[in-house]
Each structure stands twice: as structure tokens, then as C-alpha cells.
Amino acid sequence: MKNGKIRRFRPRSNKHFSNRRPNGSHKNNGVHNLDGHKNSFFRASNVGKNPHNLERIIEKYKMNGFKGQYSNRGEHLGGWGTDKNDWHGYCDYYEESLAQYKDKEVSLLELGTNYGCSAILWHDFLSKSKLLLLDVAETINPKCWEIMDNDRFIYANCDAYDADTPENVRGVRPEGFDIVFDDGPHTLKSQKECIELYLPMLNKGGTMYIEDVQEVEWFEGLQETFDEVKESLDGEYTCRSEEHTSE
């Protein structure tokens, strides 16, 4: 629910879908990675010929690429799929970065779940993880409840960037998170808010991923927000950026 406590939520049907993704092409996209590693910059490479585990999961559930249905009036009626292995080519990056969490009982937060297909990736790849999935639009596909272990995830229809939401999130996961994915509206404002609201919930050894940074210039602003927030936190926090430029 948009105003109130986070609860377990399952849509009654898949007909109340809306598109919250920005229109237009994205020339510069990257993953802003906030974790306990040294500062460094990497360029995401394309996936090789041998399929990775994440690619196999995408293939298993036929999730490659967004597949939405629209009415004559342009209403988004439902959908399926993920762009993690589409033109983004993020699978090889995540395969390597998330390997440290495999076979561990980790807590994961995803902001911007959309159809739920990326959540299925994390659910299957990190077999002992527990997921908290948030989205302001009821775009999650009901098939997610058939595919994923219902005891391992909670979905909530709420605004993850609202100032009151973190309190509710803490109520559901007081232990904090080992992994945080920001995959929401992809605006500089929302990405800064993710850092401000959820970096304090990141556990020692955890990683926050901010996907689809639209402009290279945004990295500076995100770094500034990160530096400001970490000053109020105990422990060591570092930030690095992964740049991927589409053709």
C-alpha cells in the first residue's frame, strides 16, 4: 500500500499495470556500486559465448527483453521480461559481483521490481536469499508467486523513495540488507534518494547497486551524496562506477 505499513501483497490479476519507465533512448548507462571494495572504474563487457547462470535463468523462464501489452489508448496492460541480458548486457557483471553471496543467507532489497523478472534472477541465483521487493506501480506479474518460494520474498506496492517508507522497511527487515538494488525511475533525484534512505541499512560487507545512471555527469552528484551520507555512518564505505555505453 502506498501510505501505511509494508505488508505481503499479491495482486488479484495482472490487468492493473502501468509503465513507469522513462521514454527515449539511454546513451550512457552504468551501475553505481557502493560497497566495501577499493575505488575503481570498470567497463562492462558483453556476455561471452558460454551462458552464465543468470543467462540460464532468463532462458528457463523466457524472460529476455521486456514484453509489454498495451491497449489502443496506450495503457500498459501487463508484461514479462527483463533487460538485464538485453541491450544492457549486465549479466556478466552481476554474475561476478554477486558470486560472493552465493550459498549464503543474505537479505536483499529491490527498489523498482516492475514485472518481477529481475527478482526471479536474484531468487534463483542466490538460493538462500530473502527478498523485499518494492514498486509504486502494480506492475509485478502474478507468475512470480508461482515461480518463487513465497516464504522467501515480500512484495509491497509503495513509493520506495517516500521519506516514510524506510521506517516501514526497517520494521520488516530490522537486520538490514546485504544487497540493495535501485532499479526505479532512473532519475538523478531518485538515485540520490536511494543512497540517502537506504545506505544506512546496508550491512557490513554489503553492496548497493544503482542501475542505469543516465548520464556520465551524474556520477559526480551521486559521489557527493554518497560522501555526505557516509560521514554520518560507522564503518568504512567506498564507491565505484561501472560504465556501459550503448550503441
Side-chain angles (χ1 to χ4, degrees):
M1 50 197 304
K2 295 179 182 179
N3 295 304
K5 293 184 178 180
I6 290 175
R7 59 184 173 85
R8 291 184 182 272
F9 179 87
R10 178 169 182 168
R12 285 172 290 181
S13 71
N14 64 352
K15 65 180 180 180
H16 301 296
F17 285 76
S18 63
N19 188 5
R20 54 143 175 72
R21 302 267 176 188
N23 293 324
S25 61
H26 307 302
K27 293 183 179 179
N28 295 298
N29 290 275
V31 180
H32 212 53
N33 182 337
L34 314 179
D35 61 9
H37 297 289
K38 64 182 180 180
N39 289 311
S40 55
F41 289 85
F42 299 90
R43 180 174 297 277
S45 60
N46 291 328
V47 178
K49 294 181 179 179
N50 296 324
H52 295 190
N53 288 332
L54 290 177
E55 289 180 285
R56 292 192 184 102
I57 296 169
I58 290 173
E59 182 179 352
K60 176 180 178 180
Y61 300 113
K62 297 179 173 57
M63 300 190 302
N64 195 42
F66 285 124
K67 302 175 181 67
Q69 297 180 349
Y70 299 84
S71 69
N72 292 333
R73 294 180 297 176
E75 295 174 296
H76 196 177
L77 303 177
W80 188 246
T82 175
D83 59 3
K84 294 292 188 292
N85 194 41
D86 200 356
W87 64 275
H88 278 321
Y90 286 161
C91 279
D92 55 341
Y93 170 75
Y94 280 132
E95 184 95 10
E96 180 179 355
S97 184
L98 294 174
Q100 61 184 310
Y101 302 112
K102 283 184 70 69
D103 301 320
K104 294 182 180 179
E105 296 181 357
V106 294
S107 181
L108 186 152
L109 173 66
E110 182 178 64
L111 315 182
T113 295
N114 202 22
Y115 302 150
C117 293
S118 59
I120 292 172
L121 280 180
W122 319 138
H123 173 275
D124 281 21
F125 187 72
L126 303 172
S127 61
K128 296 183 179 180
S129 62
K130 289 190 175 181
L131 288 64
L132 178 57
L133 313 173
L134 311 180
D135 205 307
V136 70
E138 292 182 32
T139 52
I140 192 168
N141 194 300
K143 288 194 292 185
C144 292
W145 277 266
E146 300 171 7
I147 293 172
M148 293 193 289
D149 182 347
N150 288 200
D151 292 329
R152 285 182 47 209
F153 82 98
I154 295 174
Y155 168 72
N157 176 217
C158 65
D159 183 355
Y161 308 95
D162 184 272
D164 294 330
T165 300
E167 181 180 355
N168 293 326
V169 169
R170 288 184 186 276
V172 175
R173 291 282 188 265
E175 71 277 12
F177 299 95
D178 303 294
I179 303 167
V180 176
F181 286 103
D182 179 63
D183 194 14
H186 308 312
T187 64
L188 181 58
K189 180 177 182 291
S190 67
Q191 291 168 349
K192 287 183 174 182
E193 288 171 341
C194 174
I195 297 173
E196 294 168 349
L197 298 175
Y198 298 105
L199 187 62
M201 300 186 198
L202 193 65
N203 294 331
K204 182 179 180 180
T207 307
M208 172 181 284
Y209 301 92
I210 298 180
E211 281 197 8
D212 299 338
V213 179
Q214 302 295 300
E215 303 290 342
V216 172
E217 291 78 12
W218 289 12
F219 288 127
E220 182 178 353
L222 293 172
Q223 181 73 56
E224 290 176 355
T225 300
F226 169 77
D227 290 338
E228 291 172 1
V229 174
K230 77 172 184 178
E231 289 301 316
S232 65
L233 305 175
D234 295 328
E236 180 181 352
Y237 292 80
T238 58
C239 176
R240 63 180 181 176
S241 303
E242 312 279 343
E243 183 184 342
H244 171 73
T245 303
S246 64
E247 298 296 336

